[in-house]
Amino acid sequence: MSGLFAGFYSILSWIGSIVDPFCGPVGVFTWLAPGTLLACGDTGWGDDIAHGFVITASLAIATLPVGLLIGFFIALGKQSEERTVRLASNIYTTIFRGLPELLTLFIVYYGLQILVQQLLASLGYDGPVEINAFFAGMIALGVVFSAYCSEVLLSAFKAIPHGQYEAGDALGLHRGRTMRLTILPQLVRIALPGLGNLWMALLKDTALVSVVGLTDILRQTGIAARVTKQAFEFYGVACVLFLILAMISSIVFSYIERRTKRAEMGR
């Protein structure tokens, strides 16, 4: 079985090397930067920067569903009839909107290690514990994103007339089904512009994980700049790569917004 997984992974790696937009056979660095500091292979930093691009995009994409899910439940909690639930939701958003993102990252990265170390020590394990930087970055950015996301979703919830819930009750629909069939489609359409802005902020915040050792775009270009003493060139490349992610994101969100409007008009 392990041999099967190893073979499958090797096939995926081969496919990835073929379609790699940076260092693949038709990659940007392969064609436009041979013999330069951005060349792929042992002669340049192209492979390292391409890897950093993948890490940055993967971290943002992995963080998005975490932040959306937590933010959705926090927004529901802010509308709860239970005073304690509303209070807890408001405290959550106040904390993570008030703390700097970098400080939140440090608390998660180092605090989780301490908590896990103490938990395992109580179970009799005294070995070293190290939290994965990618996982810590995903959790830290996810809770910050969710705090802002909850406010966007809360505003979207308030924009939907309460009579639609009552109509669902009158038709005998369970509140969960009313939420899924009636409320959520409208919620997505109303909240999409705000969520798009939060996604752009999330893309920029991924650069913070470089301080805990994750090899993202900023860390890889920073290492290359220190080694080669060509700071302007490599940080300029980092700017271009972040702008590419921003442009792709704008295209995707514009497409989703057009689809949601078209679906709304078809109802």
Side-chain angles (χ1 to χ4, degrees):
M1 184 64 70
S2 60
L4 179 63
F5 281 114
F8 182 69
Y9 179 76
S10 63
I11 293 174
L12 288 179
S13 299
W14 179 77
I15 294 174
S17 65
I18 295 297
V19 300
D20 184 356
F22 294 102
C23 290
V26 292
V28 175
F29 293 159
T30 302
W31 283 90
L32 300 181
T36 69
L37 292 174
L38 292 176
C40 299
D42 298 334
T43 59
W45 294 86
D47 292 306
D48 300 300
I49 295 175
H51 176 72
F53 182 89
V54 173
I55 293 296
T56 295
S58 300
L59 178 60
I61 293 171
T63 302
L64 181 63
V66 175
L68 286 175
L69 185 62
I70 299 176
F72 178 76
F73 285 109
I74 294 298
L76 290 179
K78 285 175 173 287
Q79 304 174 90
S80 175
E81 297 179 355
E82 293 289 336
R83 182 175 179 276
T84 54
V85 175
R86 293 199 309 272
L87 179 61
S89 300
N90 287 323
I91 290 175
Y92 178 92
T93 55
T94 300
I95 290 175
F96 290 111
R97 290 170 65 196
L99 290 177
E101 287 84 350
L102 185 59
L103 181 57
T104 303
L105 176 61
F106 285 149
I107 291 174
V108 171
Y109 183 67
Y110 296 107
L112 274 181
Q113 292 192 55
I114 295 173
L115 289 176
V116 173
Q117 184 77 58
Q118 292 178 348
L119 177 62
L120 293 178
S122 66
L123 299 176
Y125 176 78
D126 296 327
V129 175
E130 183 175 354
I131 299 297
N132 181 270
F134 186 95
F135 177 77
M138 184 180 69
I139 297 300
L141 295 179
V143 295
V144 173
F145 182 85
S146 67
Y148 289 97
C149 175
S150 67
E151 297 297 326
V152 173
L153 295 178
L154 180 61
S155 298
F157 271 121
K158 291 181 177 179
I160 300 173
H162 188 73
Q164 298 195 21
Y165 296 94
E166 297 173 348
D169 295 338
L171 292 172
L173 297 177
H174 188 272
R175 273 300 174 96
R177 193 171 184 187
T178 302
M179 177 70 71
R180 180 171 58 88
L181 298 178
T182 305
I183 305 301
L184 281 181
Q186 299 177 76
L187 188 73
V188 171
R189 177 178 56 83
I190 297 170
L192 195 59
L195 294 178
N197 290 333
L198 292 181
W199 165 257
M200 292 298 187
L202 174 62
L203 278 177
K204 294 185 292 183
D205 287 343
T206 56
L208 297 174
V209 299
S210 62
V211 301
V212 294
L214 192 64
T215 54
D216 69 323
I217 292 174
L218 191 60
R219 182 171 178 80
Q220 296 289 46
T221 52
I223 293 173
R226 287 193 296 272
V227 172
T228 62
K229 309 301 182 184
Q230 301 291 331
F232 181 79
E233 287 80 357
F234 281 105
Y235 286 129
V237 171
C239 291
V240 171
L241 294 180
F242 275 107
L243 288 176
I244 289 173
L245 286 173
M247 287 188 292
I248 294 174
S249 300
S250 296
I251 294 172
V252 172
F253 271 92
S254 297
Y255 172 77
I256 296 175
E257 191 170 358
R258 289 196 303 270
R259 289 294 301 269
T260 55
K261 288 182 178 178
R262 192 179 307 163
E264 186 69 20
M265 292 175 61
R267 288 179 178 271

